């Protein structure tokens, strides 16, 4: 299994934080999981660059199993506006808004978010950036249990298989998305749209 296959199969849903339309993954958890799966992983924090018109740009580099990838991320406020060394205002249809000057806290927070985005290039939590609710789970077929000629069935709504899946998911919410997903893909291929439906069933109260 490649590094990307290992890391992209990890479910990160319990360790994310949502702000407006953006999803943030805990950097401490992400780095811990990467080190467990890839003990040789290392990272470097590059110099934070500044342009008086564009603002601050943070930079990280991650190396895993001989492969090195880089990532950049601008320092932004809660409205995703670039932060400068000075405060400034901008106009909206609701009136003028102000962007405060960047602090060392803002820069440090962006560096760690940049690291998480860097790790996503190796697979960790990348399905979130792709707009998915569940990671791709590799399917392992044991020849002694499942004959070679058998094939996974496409799961479709409105079928008896879908009704059975809904019943199983509803009764086993406590298992969590990762375990339920791993069980379901043993017998079915599941489209991204249905993965989202299944995630909603699991998260429904």
């Amino acid at each position: 299994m490649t590094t990307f296959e290992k890391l992209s199969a990890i479910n990160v849903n319990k360790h994310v934080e949502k702000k407006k339309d953006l999803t943030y993954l805990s950097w401490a958890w992400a780095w811990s999981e990467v080190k467990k799966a890839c003990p040789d992983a290392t990272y470097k924090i590059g110099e934070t660059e500044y342009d008086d018109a564009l603002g601050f740009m943070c930079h990280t580099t991650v190396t895993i199993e001989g492969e090195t990838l880089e990532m950049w991320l601008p320092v932004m406020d809660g409205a995703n506006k670039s932060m400068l060394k000075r405060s400034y205002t901008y106009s909206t249809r609701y009136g003028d808004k102000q962007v405060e000057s960047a602090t060392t806290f803002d820069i440090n927070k962006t560096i760690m978010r940049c690291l998480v985005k860097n790790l996503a290039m190796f697979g960790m939590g990348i399905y979130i950036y792709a707009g998915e609710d569940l990671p791709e789970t590799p399917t392992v077929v044991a020849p002694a249990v499942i004959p070679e000629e058998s094939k996974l069935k496409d799961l479709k709504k409105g079928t008896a298989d879908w009704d059975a899946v809904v019943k199983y998911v509803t009764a086993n919410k406590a298992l969590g998305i990762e375990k339920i997903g791993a069980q379901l893909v043993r017998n079915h291929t599941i489209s991204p749209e249905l993965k989202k439906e299944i995630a909603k069933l699991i998260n429904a109260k």
Side-chain angles (χ1 to χ4, degrees):
M1 186 178 289
T2 66
T3 298
F4 189 87
E5 288 172 335
K6 285 189 292 186
L7 297 182
S8 63
I10 296 175
N11 191 311
V12 306
N13 290 356
K14 291 183 179 180
H15 305 276
V16 298
E17 175 185 355
K18 293 197 174 184
K19 290 185 179 180
K20 295 186 178 180
D21 296 328
L22 299 179
T23 301
Y24 300 101
L25 176 62
S26 163
W27 71 265
W29 184 86
W31 181 246
S32 295
E33 292 302 306
V34 168
K35 288 295 284 186
K36 289 176 187 177
C38 309
D40 73 326
T42 60
Y43 73 89
K44 293 182 180 180
I45 296 174
E47 182 178 353
T48 298
E49 300 176 0
Y50 181 76
D51 181 278
D52 197 49
L54 302 176
F56 294 90
M57 182 68 74
C58 296
H59 173 226
T60 61
T61 303
V62 174
T63 300
I64 301 177
E65 296 181 359
E67 181 180 13
T68 299
L69 297 174
E70 298 178 287
M71 186 52 62
W72 294 263
L73 193 65
V75 178
M76 299 180 290
D77 68 358
N80 298 323
K81 293 294 183 180
S82 294
M83 302 180 78
L84 307 177
K85 290 182 178 179
R86 52 180 171 76
S87 62
Y88 67 94
T89 59
Y90 63 97
S91 298
T92 73
R93 60 179 177 175
Y94 303 108
D96 289 344
K97 301 290 184 179
Q98 184 169 5
V99 178
E100 298 297 332
S101 57
T103 66
T104 53
F105 177 80
D106 296 315
I107 295 171
N108 182 69
K109 183 170 58 177
T110 302
I111 289 172
M112 302 321 290
R113 287 177 178 172
C114 185
L115 174 60
V116 172
K117 194 174 181 182
N118 209 158
L119 296 175
M121 297 298 290
F122 286 93
M124 174 58 71
I126 195 169
Y127 69 92
I128 290 179
Y129 291 91
E132 299 291 341
D133 294 312
L134 289 169
E136 291 293 331
T137 306
T139 303
V140 180
V141 179
V145 178
I146 303 177
E148 291 183 2
E149 62 272 14
S150 67
K151 295 182 179 180
L152 297 177
K153 298 171 64 177
D154 289 333
L155 185 61
K156 297 181 179 179
K157 294 189 71 172
T159 65
D161 284 343
W162 173 250
D163 293 340
V165 165
V166 171
K167 184 176 180 180
Y168 169 77
V169 171
T170 303
N172 294 277
K173 291 181 181 180
L175 293 177
I177 289 178
E178 187 169 0
K179 289 184 179 179
I180 291 177
Q183 180 65 30
L184 295 180
V185 296
R186 291 180 180 177
N187 300 309
H188 302 91
T189 56
I190 306 174
S191 68
E193 292 76 16
L194 287 190
K195 284 183 179 180
K196 292 181 180 180
E197 292 283 340
I198 292 169
K200 289 180 182 178
L201 290 173
I202 295 171
N203 294 323
K205 296 182 179 180

Short mmCIF file of all heavy atoms in Angstrom, two decimals, residues 97-123:
data_model
loop_
_atom_site.label_atom_id
_atom_site.label_comp_id
_atom_site.label_asym_id
_atom_site.label_seq_id
_atom_site.Cartn_x
_atom_site.Cartn_y
_atom_site.Cartn_z
N LYS A 97 -16.27 47.20 6.06
CA LYS A 97 -15.79 46.20 7.00
C LYS A 97 -14.31 46.45 7.27
O LYS A 97 -13.59 46.97 6.41
CB LYS A 97 -15.96 44.79 6.43
CG LYS A 97 -17.39 44.42 6.07
CD LYS A 97 -18.25 44.25 7.30
CE LYS A 97 -19.66 43.78 6.92
NZ LYS A 97 -20.52 43.57 8.11
N GLN A 98 -13.87 46.09 8.46
CA GLN A 98 -12.47 46.31 8.82
C GLN A 98 -11.74 44.99 9.00
O GLN A 98 -12.26 44.04 9.56
CB GLN A 98 -12.35 47.13 10.11
CG GLN A 98 -10.91 47.46 10.49
CD GLN A 98 -10.83 48.49 11.59
OE1 GLN A 98 -11.83 48.91 12.15
NE2 GLN A 98 -9.63 48.92 11.93
N VAL A 99 -10.50 44.96 8.52
CA VAL A 99 -9.60 43.83 8.73
C VAL A 99 -8.50 44.28 9.68
O VAL A 99 -7.79 45.25 9.40
CB VAL A 99 -8.97 43.34 7.39
CG1 VAL A 99 -8.01 42.19 7.65
CG2 VAL A 99 -10.06 42.93 6.41
N GLU A 100 -8.38 43.60 10.80
CA GLU A 100 -7.38 43.97 11.78
C GLU A 100 -5.98 43.59 11.28
O GLU A 100 -5.82 42.72 10.42
CB GLU A 100 -7.65 43.26 13.12
CG GLU A 100 -8.98 43.64 13.75
CD GLU A 100 -9.06 45.11 14.12
OE1 GLU A 100 -8.00 45.72 14.40
OE2 GLU A 100 -10.17 45.66 14.12
N SER A 101 -4.96 44.23 11.82
CA SER A 101 -3.58 43.88 11.45
C SER A 101 -3.26 42.49 11.99
O SER A 101 -3.78 42.05 13.02
CB SER A 101 -2.62 44.91 12.04
OG SER A 101 -2.76 44.98 13.45
N ALA A 102 -2.41 41.76 11.28
CA ALA A 102 -2.05 40.40 11.67
C ALA A 102 -1.16 40.40 12.90
O ALA A 102 -0.31 41.27 13.08
CB ALA A 102 -1.33 39.70 10.51
N THR A 103 -1.37 39.41 13.75
CA THR A 103 -0.54 39.24 14.95
C THR A 103 0.29 37.97 14.78
O THR A 103 0.08 37.18 13.85
CB THR A 103 -1.41 39.10 16.21
OG1 THR A 103 -2.18 37.88 16.12
CG2 THR A 103 -2.36 40.28 16.34
N THR A 104 1.24 37.77 15.70
CA THR A 104 2.04 36.54 15.64
C THR A 104 1.15 35.32 15.84
O THR A 104 1.44 34.25 15.31
CB THR A 104 3.14 36.57 16.72
OG1 THR A 104 2.55 36.85 18.01
CG2 THR A 104 4.19 37.62 16.41
N PHE A 105 0.06 35.47 16.60
CA PHE A 105 -0.88 34.37 16.79
C PHE A 105 -1.53 33.98 15.47
O PHE A 105 -1.66 32.80 15.13
CB PHE A 105 -1.95 34.75 17.81
CG PHE A 105 -3.01 33.70 18.00
CD1 PHE A 105 -2.78 32.60 18.81
CD2 PHE A 105 -4.24 33.82 17.36
CE1 PHE A 105 -3.76 31.62 18.98
CE2 PHE A 105 -5.22 32.85 17.52
CZ PHE A 105 -4.98 31.75 18.33
N ASP A 106 -1.95 34.99 14.69
CA ASP A 106 -2.57 34.74 13.39
C ASP A 106 -1.60 34.01 12.46
O ASP A 106 -1.98 33.08 11.74
CB ASP A 106 -3.01 36.05 12.74
CG ASP A 106 -4.08 36.77 13.53
OD1 ASP A 106 -5.04 36.12 13.97
OD2 ASP A 106 -3.93 37.99 13.72
N ILE A 107 -0.35 34.44 12.48
CA ILE A 107 0.65 33.83 11.60
C ILE A 107 0.94 32.40 12.03
O ILE A 107 1.00 31.48 11.19
CB ILE A 107 1.95 34.67 11.61
CG1 ILE A 107 1.68 36.05 10.99
CG2 ILE A 107 3.07 33.95 10.87
CD1 ILE A 107 2.82 37.02 11.13
N ASN A 108 1.09 32.17 13.34
CA ASN A 108 1.38 30.82 13.82
C ASN A 108 0.22 29.87 13.50
O ASN A 108 0.43 28.73 13.09
CB ASN A 108 1.62 30.84 15.33
CG ASN A 108 1.95 29.47 15.87
OD1 ASN A 108 3.01 28.92 15.61
ND2 ASN A 108 1.04 28.90 16.64
N LYS A 109 -1.01 30.35 13.68
CA LYS A 109 -2.19 29.54 13.38
C LYS A 109 -2.23 29.15 11.90
O LYS A 109 -2.55 28.01 11.54
CB LYS A 109 -3.45 30.32 13.76
CG LYS A 109 -4.75 29.56 13.58
CD LYS A 109 -5.92 30.30 14.21
CE LYS A 109 -6.08 31.70 13.63
NZ LYS A 109 -7.28 32.40 14.20
N THR A 110 -1.87 30.09 11.03
CA THR A 110 -1.86 29.83 9.60
C THR A 110 -0.77 28.83 9.22
O THR A 110 -0.97 27.97 8.35
CB THR A 110 -1.67 31.14 8.81
OG1 THR A 110 -2.71 32.04 9.14
CG2 THR A 110 -1.68 30.89 7.31
N ILE A 111 0.38 28.92 9.87
CA ILE A 111 1.47 27.98 9.60
C ILE A 111 1.01 26.55 9.87
O ILE A 111 1.25 25.63 9.07
CB ILE A 111 2.71 28.31 10.45
CG1 ILE A 111 3.37 29.60 9.95
CG2 ILE A 111 3.72 27.15 10.42
CD1 ILE A 111 4.49 30.11 10.84
N MET A 112 0.31 26.34 11.00
CA MET A 112 -0.13 24.98 11.34
C MET A 112 -1.24 24.51 10.40
O MET A 112 -1.32 23.32 10.07
CB MET A 112 -0.58 24.93 12.80
CG MET A 112 0.49 25.36 13.80
SD MET A 112 2.18 24.78 13.41
CE MET A 112 2.02 23.03 13.71
N ARG A 113 -2.09 25.43 9.94
CA ARG A 113 -3.11 25.06 8.96
C ARG A 113 -2.46 24.72 7.62
O ARG A 113 -2.93 23.85 6.89
CB ARG A 113 -4.12 26.19 8.80
CG ARG A 113 -5.07 26.33 9.98
CD ARG A 113 -6.02 27.50 9.82
NE ARG A 113 -6.96 27.59 10.93
CZ ARG A 113 -7.79 28.59 11.14
NH1 ARG A 113 -7.80 29.62 10.30
NH2 ARG A 113 -8.62 28.58 12.17
N CYS A 114 -1.38 25.44 7.32
CA CYS A 114 -0.63 25.16 6.09
C CYS A 114 -0.03 23.76 6.17
O CYS A 114 -0.03 23.02 5.18
CB CYS A 114 0.46 26.22 5.91
SG CYS A 114 1.37 26.08 4.37
N LEU A 115 0.46 23.39 7.35
CA LEU A 115 1.03 22.05 7.54
C LEU A 115 -0.04 20.98 7.30
O LEU A 115 0.22 19.97 6.63
CB LEU A 115 1.60 21.92 8.95
CG LEU A 115 2.11 20.52 9.34
CD1 LEU A 115 3.23 20.07 8.42
CD2 LEU A 115 2.56 20.52 10.80
N VAL A 116 -1.24 21.20 7.82
CA VAL A 116 -2.33 20.24 7.62
C VAL A 116 -2.67 20.11 6.14
O VAL A 116 -2.88 19.00 5.63
CB VAL A 116 -3.59 20.68 8.41
CG1 VAL A 116 -4.78 19.80 8.05
CG2 VAL A 116 -3.32 20.60 9.90
N LYS A 117 -2.70 21.25 5.43
CA LYS A 117 -2.96 21.21 3.99
C LYS A 117 -1.84 20.50 3.25
O LYS A 117 -2.07 19.77 2.27
CB LYS A 117 -3.11 22.65 3.47
CG LYS A 117 -3.72 22.74 2.08
CD LYS A 117 -3.96 24.19 1.71
CE LYS A 117 -4.59 24.29 0.31
NZ LYS A 117 -4.79 25.71 -0.09
N ASN A 118 -0.62 20.67 3.74
CA ASN A 118 0.54 19.98 3.18
C ASN A 118 0.39 18.47 3.35
O ASN A 118 0.64 17.68 2.43
CB ASN A 118 1.80 20.47 3.90
CG ASN A 118 3.05 20.42 3.03
OD1 ASN A 118 4.02 21.13 3.28
ND2 ASN A 118 3.05 19.57 2.01
N LEU A 119 -0.05 18.04 4.54
CA LEU A 119 -0.27 16.62 4.81
C LEU A 119 -1.38 16.05 3.94
O LEU A 119 -1.35 14.86 3.57
CB LEU A 119 -0.59 16.40 6.29
CG LEU A 119 0.51 16.76 7.29
CD1 LEU A 119 0.00 16.61 8.73
CD2 LEU A 119 1.75 15.90 7.07
N ALA A 120 -2.37 16.89 3.60
CA ALA A 120 -3.46 16.44 2.73
C ALA A 120 -2.94 16.06 1.35
O ALA A 120 -3.51 15.19 0.68
CB ALA A 120 -4.52 17.53 2.61
N MET A 121 -1.85 16.70 0.91
CA MET A 121 -1.27 16.34 -0.38
C MET A 121 -0.73 14.91 -0.37
O MET A 121 -0.60 14.27 -1.41
CB MET A 121 -0.14 17.31 -0.73
CG MET A 121 -0.59 18.75 -0.89
SD MET A 121 -1.77 18.96 -2.25
CE MET A 121 -0.70 18.68 -3.67
N PHE A 122 -0.46 14.39 0.83
CA PHE A 122 -0.02 13.00 0.96
C PHE A 122 -1.20 12.07 1.24
O PHE A 122 -1.02 10.86 1.38
CB PHE A 122 1.00 12.88 2.10
CG PHE A 122 2.36 13.42 1.76
CD1 PHE A 122 2.70 14.72 2.06
CD2 PHE A 122 3.32 12.61 1.14
CE1 PHE A 122 3.96 15.22 1.76
CE2 PHE A 122 4.57 13.11 0.83
CZ PHE A 122 4.90 14.41 1.13
N GLY A 123 -2.41 12.64 1.36
CA GLY A 123 -3.60 11.83 1.55
C GLY A 123 -4.37 12.08 2.83
O GLY A 123 -5.56 11.77 2.91
#
